Amino acid sequence: MEWNFQRAERLAAALRAGEVTSAELTDQAIARIERDDKAINAICVPDFDRARAAARGADQARARGEDRPLLGIPVTVKESYNVAGLPTTWGLPPHRDFMPAEDAVQVSRLKAAGAVVLGKTNVPVGLQDVQSFNEIYGTTNNPWDHGRTPGGSSGGSAAALAAGFGALSIGSDIAGSLRTPAHFCGVYAHKPTLGLAASRGMVPPPTPALPADHDLAVVGPMARTARDLTLLLDVMAGPDPLTLGVAHEVALPPARHERLRDFRVLILDEHPLIPTGSAVRAGVNRVADALADAGARVERHSPLLPDLTEASMLYTQLLFSSLVARFPIEAYERLRTSAAALSADDQSLHAVRLRATVFSHRDWVAANSRRELHRHGWRQLFAEFDAVVCPITPTPAFPHDHNPDSMQRRLGIDGVEYPYLDQLVWAGVATMPGLPATAIPAGRSPEGLPVGVQLIGPMFEDRTPLRLAELLEQKIGGFQAPE
């Protein structure tokens, strides 16, 4: 039997029933990678020998009567996670030989749950792109169209899932890095509530793997079904055992509803700062129609929605002030000169980005205070609604664009070009306030490319958008293998 595209839940049941062994699943996955990954380049660091050994160990454990959530299931890991014995580079050439001494906390949790790690998946340089290419490992192609990006920065993981290279993967997200690749490749991803899943060991080399909190950034699961996202999130969720985990355990509340008809959903398909492409708008409307058809309460406007323009400005300020914090002083001085040359009247996103790169601590504290007002606004909105459905980016996957200056790139939306980085505003809707967001497939573009949407839920109520994703999968369908 061909197992490579089966959901993780099905694989777990088959392993428990003795229909297949982990060794067989692992050999099938490796054979598929060796056959197909030359064209896709998703698996940048294979670890096949240790994977086969882990699979044999999983089969032996099952023979002894053990049963763990992911026992014997082949998975992949984003390159940015530390895995003992494998390089962690973040695509940065000076660190191509960096070898961490221990696993990231999430890799440890995968292994403790019994997963078989096939290898690492490709990323952009420093995880700072909506594409996945770097000098060390080259370019990852979208399995649906090799001339297009699979997204970034978890693009290798999304491409691997779409191509049948393992049943699950783990990635990270600060600017849509889980959700955008899922949208571009037709798979599922979940950006957890900020702080829900520990991220120690997911740090740029050679930074020590300390239990630091990183603003905006989360780690999260990727899969080919919504139920598999929940399966993997249950493995990943929980505080770092070195800090809050000393005193706290996770007890996520159940989903607010179990039936589509009971959900109250706000639909957003327009952003004040960038148009929504026709293919993505059609995907949002498809989900809205499915919800209405099932009897859910569907609204398209609410005075409770926090202002999206101010939210985008705050997100841009918080994001870019964080991203440049480790830049060399020479680069910082160049940015400061460029920011000083801006007109005071220039309030474009480009200007906001540039000014944010040279934020003072006082500036950041002011932005963070405004963020808290937005969080309060979202709490009020989620007293009236259970979820918000909106785009992840304005377009399906776009052609590779390796211009080294991302400020000079352009994104085509229905024939009109816009600044490349402006597409991040939709990711920021959930990221800035730290809300959970589940990316789901929502159809195809006229060119046959996958189109996804995100389901945003209340803070720390991650099971609500995940359950909504599961119900929508039953209603409109889910993952389909690339044609």
Side-chain angles (χ1 to χ4, degrees):
M1 179 175 175
E2 168 62 57
W3 293 98
N4 285 319
F5 285 102
Q6 294 292 327
R7 63 192 187 278
E9 189 178 51
R10 170 73 179 96
L11 297 181
L15 287 163
R16 291 186 185 105
E19 296 177 44
V20 69
T21 65
S22 178
E24 290 169 337
L25 293 180
T26 301
D27 283 341
Q28 267 200 23
I30 291 171
R32 189 171 190 91
I33 293 167
E34 291 177 337
R35 187 191 76 187
D36 294 346
D37 199 38
K38 292 180 179 65
I40 298 170
N41 193 33
I43 310 298
C44 61
V45 184
D47 197 19
F48 296 159
D49 288 344
R50 291 200 300 183
R52 287 189 168 105
R56 291 193 296 271
D59 289 333
Q60 292 165 1
R62 193 170 294 281
R64 295 192 298 269
E66 294 184 27
D67 189 15
R68 287 171 266 159
L70 305 179
L71 186 58
I73 296 175
V75 306
T76 60
V77 172
K78 187 175 181 177
E79 199 272 355
S80 50
Y81 285 89
N82 286 346
V83 178
L86 300 180
T88 298
T89 72
W90 286 45
L92 299 165
H95 303 296
R96 65 172 67 239
D97 297 321
F98 177 74
M99 197 80 68
E102 63 181 14
D103 292 339
V105 64
Q106 293 300 342
V107 174
S108 295
R109 287 177 178 174
L110 280 179
K111 292 180 178 179
V116 173
V117 178
L118 297 167
K120 289 182 149 195
T121 59
N122 203 21
V123 296
V125 177
L127 312 190
Q128 294 186 10
D129 203 343
V130 191
Q131 304 176 71
S132 293
F133 66 93
N134 61 75
E135 181 182 316
I136 301 172
Y137 298 121
T139 300
T140 299
N141 300 317
N142 193 309
W144 289 87
D145 180 344
H146 295 173
R148 295 175 185 266
T149 179
S153 61
S154 307
S157 288
L161 287 167
F165 305 161
L168 302 166
S169 194
I170 58 173
S172 61
D173 192 310
I174 193 172
S177 289
L178 284 160
R179 293 162 286 164
T180 298
H183 158 47
F184 284 178
C185 293
V187 298
Y188 289 78
H190 182 69
K191 184 199 89 64
T193 298
L194 182 66
L196 177 62
S199 61
R200 177 165 46 90
M202 221 288 300
V203 289
T207 307
L210 301 175
D213 292 327
H214 302 285
D215 190 32
L216 302 174
V218 301
V219 296
M222 306 182 78
R224 287 190 292 267
T225 74
R227 286 177 64 88
D228 283 355
L229 284 182
T230 301
L231 174 69
L232 184 49
L233 181 66
D234 285 346
V235 170
M236 300 181 72
D240 194 307
L242 299 184
T243 55
L244 294 177
V246 173
H248 299 283
E249 294 181 356
V250 167
L252 288 175
R256 290 187 176 186
H257 308 292
E258 289 298 318
R259 302 179 302 177
L260 276 179
R261 62 185 293 181
D262 296 326
F263 276 86
R264 304 164 297 168
V265 181
L266 178 63
I267 305 295
L268 304 177
D269 62 0
E270 294 182 355
H271 197 285
L273 298 181
I274 195 167
T276 301
S278 56
V280 171
R281 188 185 299 275
V284 173
N285 287 333
R286 184 176 185 226
V287 171
D289 291 345
L291 288 164
D293 182 67
R297 174 188 156 197
V298 177
E299 304 286 348
R300 289 187 175 265
H301 304 280
S302 172
L304 296 172
L305 180 69
D307 182 80
L308 292 181
T309 297
E310 184 184 30
S312 296
M313 299 301 179
L314 286 173
Y315 171 61
T316 300
Q317 290 169 342
L318 294 165
L319 175 65
F320 281 83
S321 62
S322 171
L323 292 180
V324 303
R326 294 186 179 90
F327 275 24
I329 188 64
E330 299 83 5
Y332 176 81
E333 290 298 334
R334 288 195 297 271
L335 290 168
R336 188 163 66 172
T337 299
S338 298
L342 290 169
S343 166
D345 296 331
D346 188 348
Q347 297 300 313
S348 66
L349 279 173
H350 170 73
V352 174
R353 281 190 287 268
L354 195 50
R355 293 189 185 105
T357 62
V358 292
F359 254 27
S360 68
H361 183 59
R362 181 184 179 89
D363 294 331
W364 187 91
V365 169
N368 186 51
S369 295
R370 294 197 302 276
R371 168 167 52 183
E372 290 303 329
L373 292 174
H374 275 254
R375 283 178 171 153
H376 181 64
W378 281 104
R379 283 191 286 269
Q380 292 177 309
L381 182 138
F382 283 123
E384 297 293 328
F385 293 94
D386 303 307
V388 173
V389 175
C390 65
I392 297 167
T393 70
T395 70
F398 52 83
H400 297 294
D401 182 353
H402 294 180
N403 186 328
D405 185 355
S406 61
M407 299 290 189
Q408 298 301 316
R409 297 179 194 164
R410 291 294 179 266
L411 178 72
I413 304 176
D414 291 344
V416 180
E417 292 191 342
Y418 296 85
Y420 177 79
L421 293 176
D422 286 7
Q423 65 185 295
L424 301 182
V425 295
W426 279 117
V429 173
T431 299
M432 187 272 288
L435 301 171
T438 306
I440 68 168
R444 306 271 191 86
S445 73
E447 298 79 23
L449 298 170
V451 171
V453 302
Q454 59 182 329
L455 317 176
I456 301 174
M459 185 171 282
F460 289 109
E461 293 190 50
D462 293 57
R463 296 197 190 282
T464 292
L466 285 166
R467 177 58 177 162
L468 181 57
E470 181 184 342
L471 294 169
L472 284 167
E473 183 178 6
Q474 297 167 10
K475 180 77 172 175
I476 66 172
F479 170 77
Q480 294 179 335
E483 297 170 351

